[in-house]
Amino acid sequence: MRGLFNNILRSCGLLSAFLLVTVVAAVVQRDVNTQLITPATDQNLTWWQTAIFYQVYPRSFKDSNGDGVGDIQGIISELDYFVDLGVDCIWLSPVYKSPMRDFGYDISDYKDVDPIFGTLDDFRELIQEIHKRGLKFISDFVPGHVSSDHEWFRRSVKRDGKYTNYFVWSDGKLLDNGTRVPPNNWLSVFGGSAWSWNDERQQYYYHAFDPHQIDLNYRDQNLQWEIKDTFRFWLDYGVDGFRIDAFSQLFENENTSLDEPLSGNNVPPTEYAYLNHIYTADQPDSLPILTSWKNVVDDYSKQDGKVRYLVVELYAPPNVRNKIYGVGAVPFNFDLISMGTHPTGRDIFSKVMDEYINLPSGKWPNFVLGNHDQKRLSYRYGAQYVNVFNILLLTLWGTPTTYYGEELGMLSANISWENTVDPQGLGAGPERYQLFTRDPSRTPMQWSNDFQAGFSTGNTTWLPLAENWATLNVKTENSSSQQTPYKLYRQLAHLRKNQAFQTGTFRAALVTDNIVSYLREGTLQRYLVIMNFGQETTDDYRNYGGPAATVVAITPGLTGVQEGQRLSLDALKLEPGQGVVLLLDQDFVPTIG
């Protein structure tokens, strides 16, 4: 078998061989002679390192009262689904009290649950029921802004005591003709000026997103205390950690007279991408604030010995997001989300290796394929590739995060301008809303082929059902006699509990424009993962002969191959979007050199 892996390395080229030698991974042992990257198997892994995270968008998961909107009791009714699927931690998008202009990300009370979702008692019951099943729970936290309905903003408008400077206020600029205008050219993520005028206070206020989402001023010490107290409130309820929303926009430059430079992007001047956001994103002031939050979380961990998790949302290159590791939190790695419409095998493998290469020593990698702000996986890369992306996500070294419905291969809904409700889409206008709207990826979870896909008993749902819901749902995929996306995900989730996929060696095998394949080698078992992300059928392994291996997972529709079958690599032919996970024979020892 020495010749097989010599050929594979030659097929990868010098770049891949170089990558294999130079990866800097978490607590690893590196043997430059064998070119192996080996996470230390004796380290004491925390729960979040071995967990599969699953994001629940509460409005769309399960409706318990027939009003067409998902709620907490609906989630409670389906908790056994997570156990069956094999995921370990639920990340819940916001259920705080809110006027719902941005569907929960515009919070009017950090310490209450919105009635549309339930009550604080429902929230407590949810956490208790999650923990009874041996699962973990992290809550979405939105620290950058609050709703214009929030008491803090109403009192700040009135310059009421300590609340006066809870937000970023400016007199603006007075032009020669006497007209008052915003202080600078800063743009909102949702489009248009990031400044809005308040008649009562006679000043502009800053909002990085919707005008009803008012940015908080973290230079105010009282505000800092309020937010830390809010963390403690939910930690007392028993949450296992937090996902920090929109961390890049937490701070803006204190000098509001500075205009941001043009980006050079060919977009309308009102769109966010028109500027280069050097004064309003990823500011150094944010890190000390994050450190203070991490200290609050760690205090609770020290009190009861239960590790809490803090994961941060920011879309940034490794040199920026790695600063999050420096304060003890974890930055989401979104590199696999935006790769163009037809990424090649080499493109995808390069993104994986970027995470491993740039990972600070002693830290743990993670991968994300989708969330409530992105188009669905099936939309971005094509429905036929959902299964191989799920194989990738669940067999890489590092913590994976799945967005609800991706385990089914859910499709996007076709939502007209007239039926659009997402403020980001509405802000773009009828000609460009489809570029920005997030509605199509937030449609109701598809539980069955029954009325309203089993999501609700109501006659309407807050968003329409996505395409093919009658056949693409949990009940149909689970009961099918054939392999399905749901069954594949469940197989992979349980396979991931194997030590080979948690702390085993990661090593590239064959990487081409079509194929991404790699070895995951543990102390007892070794696996070969092979996926075709290309546009054509491939039998790239035809020249390599054996080894004979046992099939442990396959994508739906892979003819002539079934679970438990003995397979020789030279007999493997994969259509675009097909993949397989093989358990290698014990007597097969791959060698390099």
Side-chain angles (χ1 to χ4, degrees):
M1 294 303 162
R2 176 184 297 267
L4 166 65
F5 278 85
N6 284 341
N7 287 338
I8 292 175
L9 280 178
R10 281 194 291 270
S11 297
C12 291
L14 293 176
L15 175 60
S16 296
F18 172 74
L19 293 176
L20 289 170
V21 179
T22 57
V23 175
V24 179
V27 197
V28 297
Q29 301 169 346
R30 292 195 295 160
D31 187 332
V32 296
N33 295 317
T34 59
Q35 299 177 326
L36 292 178
I37 308 304
T38 310
T41 56
D42 60 348
Q43 59 182 302
N44 183 23
L45 299 182
T46 61
W47 64 264
W48 61 264
Q49 290 172 307
T50 61
I52 298 171
F53 284 72
Y54 186 103
Q55 182 187 357
V56 169
Y57 193 71
R59 295 182 68 87
S60 299
F61 199 67
K62 187 64 178 284
D63 171 22
S64 70
N65 59 10
D67 65 356
V69 179
D71 47 51
I72 293 175
Q73 284 298 327
I75 298 170
I76 292 172
S77 72
E78 296 292 352
L79 286 180
D80 288 339
Y81 175 74
F82 302 105
V83 178
D84 181 68
L85 186 60
V87 301
D88 308 279
C89 181
I90 298 168
W91 151 27
L92 184 64
S93 290
V95 292
Y96 309 103
K97 193 171 183 180
S98 166
M100 298 294 163
R101 297 185 183 97
D102 193 20
F103 303 106
Y105 284 89
D106 51 327
I107 296 167
S108 58
D109 190 340
Y110 275 120
K111 295 180 179 180
D112 202 358
V113 169
D114 195 87
I116 200 169
F117 297 125
T119 66
L120 282 169
D121 287 339
D122 292 328
F123 188 88
R124 188 185 300 276
E125 180 185 356
L126 173 65
I127 295 177
Q128 291 172 344
E129 291 298 320
I130 286 173
H131 287 164
K132 282 181 184 178
R133 289 163 173 79
L135 306 177
K136 299 290 186 179
F137 174 88
I138 66 169
S139 183
D140 215 323
F141 193 77
V142 186
H145 52 260
V146 297
S147 167
S148 55
D149 291 3
H150 200 292
E151 179 189 11
W152 296 348
F153 184 66
R154 293 199 299 266
R155 298 181 74 167
S156 186
V157 167
K158 298 179 182 300
R159 303 179 190 266
D160 182 1
K162 69 175 185 178
Y163 302 100
T164 300
N165 294 316
Y166 269 29
F167 301 90
V168 181
W169 294 98
S170 171
D171 292 331
K173 292 188 298 187
L174 193 63
L175 302 181
D176 292 340
N177 63 5
T179 303
R180 191 170 296 278
V181 297
N184 54 46
N185 69 342
W186 297 354
L187 291 172
S188 160
V189 175
F190 287 178
S193 175
W195 297 93
S196 290
W197 179 257
N198 181 268
D199 280 333
E200 183 174 352
R201 181 155 164 155
Q202 289 290 294
Q203 280 187 308
Y204 287 96
Y205 63 83
Y206 176 70
H207 52 89
F209 294 89
D210 187 86
H212 294 285
Q213 293 170 302
I214 325 298
D215 269 53
L216 293 165
N217 174 25
Y218 276 90
R219 293 185 172 88
D220 187 280
Q221 296 295 317
N222 290 317
L223 186 277
Q224 291 184 30
W225 181 91
E226 298 266 21
I227 296 300
K228 287 186 286 188
D229 187 61
T230 303
F231 277 110
R232 296 185 186 99
F233 179 87
W234 295 109
L235 287 164
D236 287 340
Y237 265 80
V239 303
D240 298 297
F242 299 93
R243 175 262 188 187
I244 305 300
D245 178 69
F247 185 72
S248 288
Q249 285 79 26
L250 191 70
F251 264 91
E252 56 291 318
N253 195 292
E254 193 170 14
N255 184 353
T256 58
S257 68
L258 299 173
D259 280 342
E260 291 190 320
L262 303 184
S263 66
N265 294 322
N266 185 23
V267 298
T270 57
E271 285 188 7
Y272 187 67
Y274 187 73
L275 299 178
N276 184 12
H277 304 285
I278 61 174
Y279 299 131
T280 57
D282 301 317
Q283 300 298 295
D285 311 77
S286 301
L287 291 174
I289 298 298
L290 182 62
T291 300
S292 71
W293 300 341
K294 184 65 166 58
N295 290 339
V296 170
V297 170
D298 287 348
D299 285 344
Y300 277 75
S301 299
K302 291 172 184 176
Q303 290 171 21
D304 58 17
K306 298 178 182 177
V307 173
R308 269 72 170 191
Y309 183 56
L310 203 61
V311 64
V312 177
E313 180 206 31
L314 76 167
Y315 290 81
N319 66 310
V320 175
R321 68 173 184 253
N322 282 349
K323 295 176 183 178
I324 303 300
Y325 284 117
V327 303
V330 176
F332 271 134
N333 166 26
F334 295 126
D335 286 356
L336 292 176
I337 284 182
S338 302
M339 296 185 293
T341 54
H342 297 295
T344 66
R346 290 189 174 92
D347 294 334
I348 294 166
F349 183 72
S350 176
K351 294 296 185 183
V352 171
M353 298 308 295
D354 280 348
E355 172 73 343
Y356 294 155
I357 291 169
N358 292 292
L359 193 70
S361 179
K363 302 304 178 183
W364 192 262
N366 73 88
F367 295 93
V368 183
L369 283 176
N371 57 43
H372 61 291
D373 289 327
Q374 304 296 328
K375 306 294 186 184
R376 280 212 173 267
L377 186 58
S378 58
Y379 181 94
R380 283 180 281 126
Y381 301 133
Q384 72 186 108
Y385 296 98
V386 169
N387 293 306
V388 283
F389 272 106
N390 278 333
I391 290 179
L392 180 78
L393 180 69
L394 296 181
T395 59
L396 288 172
W397 170 48
T399 300
T401 299
T402 288
Y403 183 54
Y404 84 96
E406 301 290 27
E407 73 277 19
L408 306 175
M410 273 181 62
L411 305 177
S412 296
N414 184 14
I415 300 176
S416 67
W417 164 252
E418 290 72 21
N419 292 324
T420 294
V421 296
D422 174 34
Q424 186 169 9
L426 292 173
E431 299 301 320
R432 294 174 63 82
Y433 81 98
Q434 289 184 334
L435 296 174
F436 296 95
T437 179
R438 298 164 295 178
D439 289 341
S441 62
R442 298 176 174 185
T443 56
M445 178 69 170
Q446 294 160 196
W447 293 103
S448 69
N449 54 3
D450 300 321
F451 180 71
Q452 302 287 33
F455 163 75
S456 174
T457 59
N459 290 326
T460 59
T461 56
W462 81 283
L463 283 175
L465 298 174
E467 297 178 23
N468 295 359
W469 64 266
T471 55
L472 201 159
N473 58 69
V474 174
K475 181 180 178 180
T476 299
E477 292 192 19
N478 191 31
S479 61
S480 174
S481 60
Q482 305 297 318
Q483 178 70 311
T484 64
Y486 172 79
K487 288 183 177 181
L488 172 63
Y489 191 101
R490 184 172 57 187
Q491 286 175 333
L492 295 166
H494 290 283
L495 188 63
R496 188 175 180 80
K497 306 304 179 187
N498 188 294
Q499 179 265 329
F501 291 105
Q502 292 187 356
T503 58
T505 296
F506 175 90
R507 175 168 53 166
L510 177 64
V511 178
T512 69
D513 281 346
N514 293 314
I515 291 292
V516 173
S517 64
Y518 43 81
L519 287 157
R520 298 304 315 276
E521 300 178 81
T523 54
L524 298 176
Q525 293 176 310
R526 289 159 293 186
Y527 295 87
L528 180 61
V529 182
I530 308 173
M531 301 155 288
N532 183 0
F533 290 98
Q535 304 294 307
E536 57 189 23
T537 302
T538 178
D539 55 354
D540 288 343
Y541 273 90
R542 65 189 179 280
N543 296 326
Y544 300 131
T550 303
V551 178
V552 294
I554 59 171
T555 52
L558 184 54
T559 58
V561 179
Q562 58 186 3
E563 186 180 354
Q565 174 185 339
R566 299 281 293 161
L567 181 70
S568 180
L569 289 179
D570 58 4
L572 184 63
K573 180 178 289 188
L574 297 175
E575 302 288 339
Q578 291 183 342
V580 60
V581 181
L582 303 172
L583 174 63
L584 300 179
D585 288 355
Q586 285 295 322
D587 60 356
F588 170 64
V589 181
T591 58
I592 299 176

